Amino acid sequence: MVDECDDLVRVVSPHLDAVRVERVWSAGGVVQIAARTRELMVACPDCGCGSARVHSRYSRTLADVAAGAGPVLIRLSVRRLFCDASGCGRRTFVEQVEGLTVRYQRRSPLLQHLVESAGVLLAGRGGARLLQILKAPLSRTSVLFQLMRMPLPSAPTPRVLGVDDFALYADTYGTLLVDAESRLPIELWSGRDSAQLASWLRAHPSVRVACRDGSLTYRQGITGGAPDAVQVSDRFHLWQGLSKRVSDVAAVHRRCLPAAVADPEPAPASPGASPEPADTPARRHAKRLFETVHAVTGSRRSLSSMARELGLNRRTVAKYARATTWQECVRRTPPRHTTSLDPYLEYLQQRWDEGEHTATVLHQEINAKGYQGHYQRVKMAIAPLRRGLPIDTPRERPPSPRQVARWITTKPSRRSLHATQALERLLTHCPELNRAHDLVRQFAAMLDARDAAALPNWLDQLAMSRLPSMASLAKALREDQPAVVQGITTAFNSGVNEGRICDLKLQKRIMAGRAGVPLLRHRVILMALLRRRYR
């Protein structure tokens, strides 16, 4: 009978070979196993001397991974043994069964690994739900407790270090360090303090290359902690900063953007040429805000100061301060979006003129021509014709400053035909945007060729471009020119950091944004190792 139990238990729990199973039964849906250790020589944990002299026995209760539809509980009788070595300070010790028991642990190593993996991958609530399905129920706080007990690995000091920041919440930021060669996260802390980064670098002196963004804080921290390390201003952040300046230039010349449309809306006539549009609350509100903002703009105060005094958002103050007339600030009704019905509008107009005014018949006719839309859209399209008005045709809306910046920074061979034609019309109309476009293409050529020889001349052009946002960028790049040259000419970059930060944000969302820095550090570092192990 005992041998049959042994055979059964080896299927349920293969690590029970080192013990003798006495009984297996089920109670309340739980598979219970009674077992006792074999009479073998056991080494003392302190001195290593073997002993078989028994002091006493006691029973340990261990939870194991589920078998079938029920959890497994092992009631194991273990021995307390004497240590007879004269030089050992330990008089008694309890034997441990390899693969089954761990000191002070009430779970088998296999189940403990399962709990820890669930905590690393899914955090508290998600991990608790998974363990409930796996018949190893545990509360979310217990899952987090087991996760925080896991020791972080002692990662070797990297040769190439990536440094970047991330938003914890609101205006609070954190710093993430990544080994750019092994692609594994090393350290994570709250704040963007140069002193903390310098202290970490002094404790890890083998860093030879440090990849970062254009932040002055990280530049000072790396200079203070690793003055001999080569600093690399990341190519992505250089390009991102240039794209932001192009967007600023497009925002300043917003009135030029309708020129990108193939058939732009007619510009509003001057006040003397035609009567003013009907007075509306929106127009009165825009006029009142324009006069209020311009009454304080002559004092040379900052936008934030004026916004606090007027009780307005800073962006609203910037919008009205930038405008030359209050009519520019009136929100106009945007052109409607194109729809799947647009190719058939001419046909609907033709059939209407021929005397067919029934929406159902018109819908059936264009269905035969390939239209897949609903009848209701056809009914709404011909509604203006019933009132004697022209049919509402789609009009292309002017691009936004961000869209213009995307057109300019996109490689010409990768632009769509529409974007190429619209950008050509816009650059012909606006010389400032044309100048910004030329500067962007020169910098893109340097990045493609990984040749920074033209950088000083390009910075001079940037400073003399008479575009304030570009001039400020030239000043920032001159202050960090050695790192910019390294970013252009070398293969080192912060791409690994950006990927790890995207993963970090995902883990924050999984925990509903409530994770503190210690828990976030544990999950980010341990999850990277877990993925590396099982990929």
Side-chain angles (χ1 to χ4, degrees):
M1 179 65 182
V2 173
D3 292 338
E4 293 178 0
C5 289
D6 283 346
D7 294 338
L8 173 63
V9 171
R10 286 192 189 97
V11 177
V12 176
S13 298
H15 45 245
L16 287 177
D17 287 339
V19 300
R20 185 172 183 80
V21 177
E22 297 180 335
R23 183 186 174 199
V24 180
W25 73 99
S26 178
V30 180
V31 177
Q32 302 195 39
I33 302 172
R36 61 189 293 121
T37 56
R38 301 181 186 275
E39 302 292 334
L40 301 174
M41 185 78 70
V42 180
C44 172
D46 285 359
C47 66
C49 294
S51 174
R53 192 158 68 94
V54 178
H55 173 277
S56 59
R57 277 187 176 270
Y58 74 96
S59 179
R60 294 183 63 175
T61 303
L62 303 168
D64 200 6
V65 292
V72 174
L73 209 61
I74 301 173
R75 303 187 184 279
L76 180 64
S77 175
V78 297
R79 298 174 296 167
R80 179 175 290 274
L81 304 168
F82 287 103
C83 180
D84 296 324
S86 57
C88 182
R90 182 185 292 270
R91 304 318 309 157
T92 62
F93 62 92
V94 176
E95 62 181 339
Q96 303 294 337
V97 180
E98 184 178 358
L100 181 61
T101 64
V102 179
R103 198 176 182 193
Y104 305 126
Q105 183 67 264
R106 300 192 66 179
R107 298 183 191 90
S108 68
L110 190 59
L111 180 59
Q112 180 65 19
H113 177 69
L114 181 64
V115 170
E116 292 172 349
S117 299
V120 170
L121 294 174
L122 299 173
R125 293 185 187 277
R129 294 189 187 105
L130 176 62
L131 292 173
Q132 184 74 32
I133 296 172
L134 298 177
K135 305 300 180 183
L138 212 61
S139 69
R140 62 181 181 85
T141 52
S142 297
V143 174
L144 292 179
F145 175 76
Q146 297 299 327
L147 169 61
M148 296 304 294
R149 284 183 58 199
M150 297 177 65
L152 291 178
S154 55
T157 303
R159 190 183 68 88
V160 182
L161 177 70
V163 185
D164 208 347
D165 61 351
F166 63 93
L168 276 170
Y169 47 84
D171 294 329
T172 303
Y173 290 83
T175 298
L176 177 67
L177 305 184
V178 178
D179 185 343
E181 292 182 317
S182 68
R183 310 177 74 86
L184 292 175
I186 302 171
E187 185 55 272
L188 182 153
W189 63 69
S190 177
R192 293 184 288 187
D193 187 8
S194 59
Q196 190 170 5
L197 177 58
S199 175
W200 189 92
L201 288 170
R202 282 191 289 267
H204 302 79
S206 64
V207 174
R208 294 293 174 261
V209 180
C211 304
R212 55 169 175 79
D213 57 12
S215 168
L216 177 62
T217 299
Y218 292 146
R219 188 195 318 169
Q220 293 174 341
I222 296 171
T223 303
D228 297 331
V230 176
Q231 298 191 37
V232 179
S233 187
D234 179 51
R235 299 158 62 93
F236 166 76
H237 291 97
L238 291 174
W239 190 253
Q240 186 183 51
L242 181 60
S243 302
K244 177 65 170 63
R245 299 313 197 283
V246 174
S247 180
D248 293 341
V249 173
V252 171
H253 297 85
R254 188 183 296 269
R255 299 179 69 177
C256 298
L257 302 188
V261 180
D263 186 18
E265 295 182 78
S270 60
S274 62
E276 283 287 324
D279 193 22
T280 62
R283 295 177 67 83
R284 291 195 298 270
H285 178 71
K287 184 177 181 180
R288 183 171 64 253
L289 278 183
F290 179 82
E291 293 171 350
T292 303
V293 171
H294 276 262
V296 295
T297 52
S299 57
R300 295 186 177 181
R301 295 162 57 190
S302 67
L303 293 175
S304 300
S305 174
M306 291 188 289
R308 284 193 296 269
E309 179 182 337
L310 299 176
L312 299 173
N313 187 279
R314 186 181 181 277
R315 294 182 180 179
T316 303
V317 174
K319 170 185 171 183
Y320 281 87
R322 190 169 53 239
T324 56
T325 63
W326 65 268
Q327 286 88 348
E328 298 177 22
C329 303
V330 179
R331 178 174 295 178
R332 299 181 178 88
T333 303
R336 74 170 179 83
H337 291 286
T338 58
T339 67
S340 59
L341 184 62
D342 294 340
Y344 306 95
L345 292 179
E346 289 186 10
Y347 179 80
L348 293 177
Q349 180 71 55
Q350 175 188 342
R351 294 291 289 133
W352 183 274
D353 295 340
E354 293 173 357
E356 181 55 70
H357 298 171
T358 306
T360 306
V361 175
L362 293 174
H363 179 252
Q364 291 172 352
E365 291 180 3
I366 62 175
N367 264 351
K369 291 180 175 293
Y371 176 64
Q372 301 293 326
H374 197 268
Y375 151 79
Q376 192 69 24
R377 180 165 288 179
V378 177
K379 180 181 177 181
M380 294 174 62
I382 65 174
L385 298 176
R386 299 186 187 281
R387 300 192 298 270
L389 300 174
I391 199 166
D392 186 18
T393 55
R395 298 189 308 273
E396 184 181 359
R397 63 175 63 195
S400 65
R402 181 177 295 181
Q403 188 175 4
V404 171
R406 189 181 304 117
W407 288 347
I408 291 176
T409 55
T410 300
K411 193 174 183 179
S413 61
R414 301 186 63 181
R415 293 180 195 143
S416 65
L417 179 61
H418 171 267
T420 301
Q421 294 173 347
L423 183 59
E424 184 178 348
R425 289 189 292 266
L426 179 59
L427 298 183
T428 303
H429 178 80
C430 183
E432 289 81 5
L433 283 173
N434 190 28
R435 199 177 310 136
H437 175 265
D438 292 340
L439 292 168
V440 168
R441 299 272 46 95
Q442 292 177 35
F443 189 71
M446 284 189 279
L447 290 179
D448 289 341
R450 290 192 176 177
D451 184 4
L455 181 63
N457 181 47
W458 183 78
L459 291 176
D460 293 338
Q461 294 183 51
L462 214 61
M464 296 185 298
S465 63
R466 289 185 288 182
L467 301 173
S469 59
M470 292 294 192
S472 65
L473 176 63
K475 181 181 177 182
L477 294 182
R478 286 187 195 279
E479 294 175 355
D480 199 22
Q481 189 165 338
V484 173
V485 170
Q486 292 293 329
I488 295 174
T489 58
T490 66
F492 298 118
N493 59 77
S494 296
V496 178
N497 280 63
E498 297 301 327
R500 289 299 177 191
I501 286 175
C502 287
D503 183 61
L504 185 151
K505 292 177 179 177
L506 172 63
Q507 307 316 320
K508 280 179 53 186
R509 294 188 184 101
I510 288 176
M511 295 183 283
R514 294 194 293 264
V517 173
L519 176 57
L520 201 57
R521 180 193 298 116
H522 259 70
R523 291 202 63 221
V524 168
I525 295 177
L526 293 174
M527 184 175 294
L529 293 172
L530 197 62
R531 287 172 176 166
R532 179 68 59 87
R533 186 184 306 163
Y534 293 109
R535 70 178 180 179

